[in-house]
Amino acid sequence: HQDHKREIQDYDLAYAGRLHELFPAETGLPDVPLVENRLKNATHDIARLSSEAQGVPLFMKEKESKAGSKEQQVRGVIAQTIWQHMNGRRMERRLYMDAIVAGYMSAAVYYNEKSEFPQLLRLDPRACYPDYRNGQLQTMLHVETIKEREAAFLFPEYGFKADASNSRQVLLVTLYDEDEVVVALMNETTTGKSTKAANARILKRWEHGMGCVPVAFAALDTADDTYH
């Protein structure tokens, strides 16, 4: 995972044109590159072309009859309706960018009491640590650094400081597995040059009852079974 995260960081630096940080030993680089950023352009072009192709959910007929054909069509329409209400269509281009940059894309399914449809949350691969084996996701760990005032907005019942001047950062950790989802918050403590997480506090946990990890996950094929 550490090697993979370093590759993503290098990609991000090249995407932003920050060549001095990507190649610190080179002294002749201009402060602002005066050339076309083909990596950035290619990322957007490939993501745009990929999102233009519209996939259609196809279900197998459970019985060979007119009723079976109708049920097959109804399930397809239901799947398309749910995808639209999940804002999946709006998320597609960003998901394709994740596949280009990180070699995989992922999104968590969750319930929102304000909607009668399930919801979809894109998981930034920069914060993801998936356990993936033989084409199946076993667990997904998502570790995100946020400001404490953001935690106060997300979890108002826990008394976090919502003051706009509060710049303190915390780690929001979410574990998805086959049985449950666990959301925890940790403090970042810095000693010298090292930063560690401490004082874990479980905020939410629930059994989802889906029988699988509640995360949609797709990885690009690679010869060495690593993410590129």
Side-chain angles (χ1 to χ4, degrees), residues 46 50 95-105 132 217-228:
I46 295 172
S50 299
L95 290 172
Y96 284 122
M97 286 187 181
D98 289 343
I100 294 167
V101 175
Y104 65 80
M105 63 179 84
Y132 186 71
F217 184 89
L220 300 180
D221 293 331
T222 57
D224 55 0
D225 286 333
T226 57
Y227 307 121
H228 298 290

Side-chain angles (χ1 to χ4, degrees), residues 17 20 29-35:
H20 279 101
L29 294 173
D31 291 336
V32 178
L34 301 178
V35 296

Side-chain angles (χ1 to χ4, degrees), residues 74-206:
V74 169
R75 286 196 296 270
V77 171
I78 291 173
Q80 288 179 304
T81 302
I82 291 175
W83 182 246
Q84 292 293 335
H85 282 271
M86 278 181 164
N87 288 325
R89 180 62 186 147
R90 295 178 58 189
M91 198 183 302
E92 284 181 13
R93 188 175 298 187
R94 191 61 187 270
L95 290 172
Y96 284 122
M97 286 187 181
D98 289 343
I100 294 167
V101 175
Y104 65 80
M105 63 179 84
S106 58
V109 181
Y110 69 98
Y111 169 72
N112 186 342
E113 60 186 12
K114 296 180 180 179
S115 173
E116 58 183 325
F117 294 93
Q119 303 298 304
L120 203 61
L121 174 67
R122 170 187 163 266
L123 301 180
D124 190 337
R126 296 161 184 81
C128 290
Y129 298 86
D131 282 330
Y132 186 71
R133 183 175 178 82
N134 292 332
Q136 184 174 0
L137 187 65
Q138 297 176 320
T139 61
M140 172 64 83
L141 180 66
H142 187 265
V143 183
E144 183 181 8
T145 300
I146 64 173
K147 290 183 173 62
E148 184 179 4
R149 62 174 183 262
E150 293 181 78
F153 175 77
L154 294 171
F155 308 101
E157 67 272 24
Y158 285 94
F160 296 116
K161 294 181 180 179
D163 190 345
S165 62
N166 182 12
S167 59
R168 182 168 169 266
Q169 291 186 326
V170 293
L171 291 177
L172 181 62
V173 181
T174 308
L175 175 66
Y176 304 89
D177 66 19
E178 291 187 353
D179 301 315
E180 64 177 348
V181 178
V182 181
V183 181
L185 202 71
M186 300 182 186
N187 296 328
E188 283 188 332
T189 58
T190 302
T191 304
K193 294 183 179 180
S194 62
T195 300
K196 297 182 180 180
N199 302 324
R201 181 180 184 182
I202 294 179
L203 304 180
K204 293 182 179 181
R205 68 186 309 167
W206 66 90

Side-chain angles (χ1 to χ4, degrees), residues 48-55 89 92 96:
R48 176 181 55 80
L49 290 171
S50 299
S51 63
E52 286 178 356
Q54 290 296 293
R89 180 62 186 147
E92 284 181 13
Y96 284 122

